[in-house]
Amino acid sequence: MVSLKTKTTLRAGLMGLAAATLTSAAAMAADLQELGFATSASGGTGYMYAVAVATVVNEGSEALKITPFPSAGVIENDRLLRNDEAQLILHTGGQAYSSYRGEGKYPSKFEDLRAIMPIYASLVQMIVPAESDSKSPGDLKGKRIGLGEPGSSANTYVRQVLKAENVNDGDYDGRPNSLTEQVAGLRDGNLDALTTVMGGGAPALQDLAASRDVRWISITPETLKSVIGMNPTGAVVPVTIPAGTYPQQDGAVQTFGVPIWIMAKAEMPDALVSEIVTKFLSNLPRAHEVHPVVDGTTKDFVANAAPPVPWHPEAVKALAAMGYDTTPFTE
């Protein structure tokens, strides 16, 4: 027979254990770092790549939870990071270079901006209906061109391509549409050209090529040389989109790529930086399962990507520990 005193003691012990468990759970929840990750348009490669990064890093982690969300582009991402409305962002080399130095569209120097790792090169892609008489960017003068949303990479780099071929702002009907709006516009005949900066084989462009006869415009070496001269060293790199990347794409397309970086503030704790780098690079096959677009993070790509802003010191340590060489930052 159990006495009342024993029952009371047992009840008190169980209540104490429950309280301790709740306190421990609360402590663990308090220690969990939630990081908002500003990416790109929801149909873009950047967003899908970020989802893959977040998935593999979050799995089994008791230290952090990364939540990717779509954005209007890297200029918006930069603003969100400055204002602590995001803790991780995708950034292009050229725009990060300007932000760090307070040039161009950036109101002040962002000296706390730090590189975590380069993950892939986003490609400048210019697409027209197959029956279009436009064979080069210069032929788009007077046309209705989707430029991407203000603040997007496409809005910056495509205008540079056009300028290199003597097609200046005002010489065409530039429309700052989202990718979704551009795809619909080109499919329905309301746009003469779609332009974007995203990874090769992006699903949104796969779907477009499967439902409408379209053609990719190549960029000549002379135009590429001019664009390279408009940007900091390492901001753009020549890239070929292989034939067959998209439905009915019979020939290779010459273009250029914009290295895409994961960036954060200098105050990002070392432990979180190390976990992000190590878990993602250790689980690339898993990341590819999440999204097949994850195929651009290679040792050669990481080693050859020139950082436009200082590295986060812990990122360099984590990359080196995994056998990844890095290019030092230079002013």
Side-chain angles (χ1 to χ4, degrees):
M1 180 176 180
V2 180
S3 68
L4 179 60
K5 180 178 180 181
T6 302
K7 288 183 177 179
T8 302
T9 303
L10 179 61
R11 185 182 301 112
L14 291 172
M15 291 178 65
L17 178 61
T21 301
L22 289 172
T23 300
S24 177
M28 289 178 63
D31 290 340
L32 183 69
Q33 299 291 312
E34 297 195 18
L35 307 179
F37 191 174
T39 62
S40 68
S42 59
T45 304
Y47 176 74
M48 291 182 288
Y49 226 108
V51 168
V53 171
T55 299
V56 298
V57 174
N58 289 346
E59 287 178 345
S61 178
E62 296 181 355
L64 76 164
K65 178 184 178 182
I66 300 174
T67 303
F69 59 90
S71 75
V74 297
I75 293 178
E76 181 186 17
N77 292 353
D78 189 275
R79 178 186 63 78
L80 293 170
L81 185 62
R82 287 178 184 242
N83 295 337
D84 294 319
E85 297 175 59
Q87 291 71 49
L88 291 171
I89 64 170
L90 294 183
H91 224 322
T92 59
Q95 290 297 325
Y97 180 99
S98 296
S99 173
Y100 180 73
R101 294 160 180 81
E103 300 172 352
K105 299 179 180 180
Y106 299 95
S108 60
K109 294 181 178 180
F110 193 2
E111 295 180 335
D112 288 337
L113 188 59
R114 292 292 182 270
I116 303 299
M117 63 177 163
I119 52 174
Y120 71 98
S122 198
L123 312 182
V124 172
Q125 302 185 59
M126 309 180 74
I127 307 167
V128 297
E131 68 275 12
S132 171
D133 59 359
S134 297
K135 307 298 183 184
S136 71
D139 293 335
L140 295 175
K141 182 176 289 188
K143 305 289 188 179
R144 301 165 298 175
I145 306 174
L147 285 179
E149 297 175 274
S152 67
S153 299
N155 203 287
T156 298
Y157 293 107
V158 171
R159 289 168 61 219
Q160 290 181 354
V161 171
L162 294 170
K163 182 178 180 181
E165 299 210 4
N166 297 312
V167 181
N168 299 305
D169 292 349
D171 291 342
Y172 55 91
D173 181 4
R175 301 187 179 185
N177 300 139
S178 68
L179 177 62
T180 300
E181 292 168 336
Q182 287 197 68
V183 168
L186 196 68
R187 183 181 289 134
D188 299 340
N190 295 319
L191 274 182
D192 298 308
L194 176 156
T195 68
T196 186
V197 178
M198 60 175 49
L205 302 184
Q206 294 278 7
D207 292 343
L208 172 63
S211 62
R212 174 77 159 87
D213 287 339
V214 294
R215 175 168 43 82
W216 270 250
I217 292 178
S218 279
I219 296 171
T220 65
E222 294 76 16
T223 294
L224 177 57
K225 183 178 180 180
S226 295
V227 172
I228 289 174
M230 299 177 193
N231 290 280
T233 301
V236 299
V237 292
V239 175
T240 299
I241 303 176
T245 299
Y246 297 101
Q248 304 181 55
Q249 181 208 342
D250 298 329
V253 177
Q254 305 304 318
T255 184
F256 62 91
V258 180
I260 303 297
W261 293 77
I262 296 178
M263 294 194 177
K265 284 187 175 179
E267 66 195 37
M268 175 74 73
D270 289 354
L272 300 188
V273 172
S274 180
E275 184 162 356
I276 291 167
V277 172
T278 303
K279 288 192 71 175
F280 176 63
L281 294 179
S282 296
N283 293 280
L284 288 176
R286 168 66 179 130
H288 191 269
E289 289 177 1
V290 177
H291 274 301
V293 298
V294 180
D295 60 4
T297 310
T298 65
K299 288 192 174 183
D300 285 345
F301 176 71
V302 173
N304 293 322
V309 303
W311 286 100
H312 191 293
E314 190 61 29
V316 176
K317 292 179 184 177
L319 287 164
M322 300 197 69
Y324 284 76
D325 294 328
T326 54
T327 300
F329 169 70
T330 56
E331 287 284 0

